[in-house]
Amino acid sequence: MSDAPVDPAPLPLEPLVPRSSFLTLLEHRSLLPSWPGIKPDDLEIPEGTTVLALRYADGVVMAGDRRATAGNVIAHKRVKKVFPADRYSAVAISGTAGMAVELIKLFQTELEHYEKIEGTRLSLEGKANYLARMVRGNLAMAFQGLVVVPLFCGYDEAERVGRLYTFDVVGGRYEEQDYATTGSGGSEARSFLKGAYADDVDEDEALRLAIEALVAAAEEDAATGGPDIRRGIFPNVVTVTSSGFTEVGDDRIAEIAGRVLEARP
Amino acid sequence: MSMPFYVPPEQLVKDRADFARRGIARGRSMVAFEYADGVLLMGENPNGSLHKLGEIYDRIAFAGVGRFNEFETLRVAGIRYADLKGYSYGRSDVTAKGLANAYSQTLGQIFTHEVKPYEVEVIVAEIGPTSDETQLYRIQFDGTLLAEQRYAAIGGKDDELAEKLEEAFETNLDLAGAIAASASAIEAVEEREIDADEWEAAVLDRSMDRRMFRRLEPGEIAGARS
């Protein structure tokens, strides 16, 4: 960030700055976050993940493991990778952790900023498109090896269904039908879900599917951490339904994770 | 070339203040009224889509009277200020006091430097975890910043309205009581009755999660007054 003051007095009224975008405001004030001159070869930046989302009867469930790795070192054991984007959507991150967290914070602020200024929320598709634009804005860093790929899901208030979106490094945005995964253990989780997924399951079954997919990924991918019952480290699991974003409590996850681990072949 | 006339500064300020006051008096009043769970903001606004009340941040709300485009500019600037500050530092660093000060600076600057002063008056309200920490600020067209207690009124008949609110105020009123008291005070000053769907009302409600601003439906207002 530059040295432009965040809190100038008097308040700049800026009638000519486009109204509802927070990102544009940051650009205008030269406050956009940037990581100039990073060469990832020189340093170990935490990355590695499995995050996934799937549709069920009431909406969507999204889950992510808690491990961050830097090279072959486990850098953090309790990282949070699944976040609320706004009241009716959730976003999860994979890739270079520091940049991904900043991306999420910007995205959350952008959605809230838009909602307050316009007095109405963006459509779910509008939010997904906006996130795609933010990923695309990061393209120069991606070419240096600092990749950030989010996963986005939410409850479409107009259509009254849950929706899932995946992204690629260049900002491509793809709507997925039943389930979506990303991160280093994503393909393992995907192959589990391919066999186990069923339409219109209830919440308990959806949570079990999500947690078991993470367990399956953790078994094969060193950069994905499984549930650690002894230390009390459990995946972040959230649901988004017609009543909005809800974080599933650790107690409930612990109970399901216990059952899943018991039953694993 | 014409010679510029000498205008004494007293006269200049008085003319500008009269001009702004006349503009504000043409519009409808707004009130902020403390109740058990937070602060009620309320006023007559028959136009349902052009809001005079708005959410600024988690615990902070805005109300404006006067020229719509002018207080709308202030509202947007306030949201920008709050989001920028919360994003750069932390969510708890965004305060009504900081925002009220910034509004005061801006309106003061406009009053003396611009071709015409803003014909607006605004309220910035913030709630804390308990009612002792509720803050109400009123900022006038010339940048005068007033810290109010329990209730605040802005608009043409603000003094009269404040008197009515003083009579009606009780500590720990519930929401319905606060709606009834505020609505009756405004109706008494306007000397006419106002339909339930012609009000605009919102609350900052302590019992809600992070974002505590909520607009009230016409049904809630009608229910509170029946």
Side-chain angles (χ1 to χ4, degrees), chain B residues 4 20 31 44 49 78 82 84 111 113 172 201:
Chain B
V31 304
E44 188 191 356
S49 60
L84 207 52
F111 184 76
H113 289 76
N172 276 327

Side-chain angles (χ1 to χ4, degrees), chain B residues 127-216:
Chain B
I127 55 168
T130 66
S131 63
D132 297 343
E133 289 150 274
T134 300
Q135 293 176 49
L136 296 174
Y137 296 100
R138 203 173 123 194
I139 304 105
Q140 292 176 324
F141 56 86
D142 59 353
T144 304
L145 173 58
L146 303 160
E148 304 278 359
Q149 305 263 312
R150 309 193 300 277
Y151 57 82
I154 50 174
K157 297 169 182 160
D158 54 351
D159 290 341
E160 234 179 299
L161 198 48
E163 270 171 40
K164 297 279 179 208
L165 292 172
E166 170 69 44
E167 287 165 23
F169 188 86
E170 286 173 44
T171 42
N172 276 327
L173 268 181
D174 62 359
L175 179 56
I179 292 172
S182 305
S184 305
I186 293 175
E187 282 180 340
V189 170
E190 294 290 330
E191 294 173 337
R192 65 196 159 82
E193 287 197 4
I194 298 165
D195 286 345
D197 57 357
E198 301 207 323
W199 291 104
E200 181 182 355
V203 287
L204 285 169
D205 180 347
R206 254 189 291 281
S207 64
M208 287 169 71
D209 276 348
R210 192 170 64 82
R211 286 170 71 182
M212 298 179 179
F213 180 86
R214 181 172 72 87
R215 286 190 185 282
L216 301 184

Side-chain angles (χ1 to χ4, degrees), chain B residues 88-147:
Chain B
S88 306
Y89 302 114
R91 296 199 80 89
S92 59
D93 298 318
V94 182
T95 60
K97 187 176 151 204
L99 180 63
N101 258 312
Y103 277 148
S104 156
Q105 296 289 325
T106 303
L107 284 170
Q109 190 94 6
I110 290 170
F111 184 76
T112 46
H113 289 76
E114 296 294 320
V115 178
K116 117 183 169 39
Y118 270 20
E119 300 155 66
V120 295
E121 200 170 349
V122 301
I123 288 176
V124 177
E126 178 179 35
I127 55 168
T130 66
S131 63
D132 297 343
E133 289 150 274
T134 300
Q135 293 176 49
L136 296 174
Y137 296 100
R138 203 173 123 194
I139 304 105
Q140 292 176 324
F141 56 86
D142 59 353
T144 304
L145 173 58
L146 303 160

Side-chain angles (χ1 to χ4, degrees), chain A residues 1 5-15 17-22 25-26 29 31 33 86 102 105-106 109 111-119, chain B residues 51 55-58 72-89 91 98-99 101-103 105-107 109-110 118 210-211:
Chain A
M1 287 198 195
V6 169
D7 193 1
L11 218 53
L13 298 178
E14 300 165 307
V17 178
R19 224 164 88 103
S20 48
S21 170
F22 185 68
L25 177 66
L26 285 182
R29 302 253 185 112
L31 289 169
D86 66 356
E102 192 64 29
K105 199 172 143 195
L106 253 180
T109 310
L111 297 187
E112 187 184 321
H113 193 73
Y114 182 97
E115 186 185 332
K116 288 189 290 199
I117 288 192
E118 297 296 324
Chain B
H51 294 308
E55 175 185 8
I56 296 280
Y57 211 60
D58 299 352
E72 175 70 3
T73 303
L74 291 175
R75 184 185 73 91
V76 170
I79 294 173
R80 285 177 170 168
Y81 164 92
D83 280 345
L84 207 52
K85 198 162 179 186
Y87 169 77
S88 306
Y89 302 114
R91 296 199 80 89
L99 180 63
N101 258 312
Y103 277 148
Q105 296 289 325
T106 303
L107 284 170
Q109 190 94 6
I110 290 170
Y118 270 20
R210 192 170 64 82
R211 286 170 71 182

Side-chain angles (χ1 to χ4, degrees), chain A residues 16-78:
Chain A
L16 299 178
V17 178
R19 224 164 88 103
S20 48
S21 170
F22 185 68
L23 212 61
T24 317
L25 177 66
L26 285 182
E27 257 165 41
H28 179 81
R29 302 253 185 112
S30 315
L31 289 169
L32 261 191
S34 62
W35 290 265
I38 289 190
K39 283 196 246 100
D41 305 343
D42 305 346
L43 27 93
E44 298 277 9
I45 296 160
E47 50 189 5
T49 287
T50 303
V51 290
L52 59 92
L54 56 97
R55 275 167 52 149
Y56 71 106
D58 305 338
V60 286
V61 46
M62 188 175 237
D65 76 303
R66 307 290 293 268
R67 181 173 291 179
T69 52
N72 58 359
V73 174
I74 296 175
H76 304 282
K77 291 191 187 70
R78 293 173 195 266

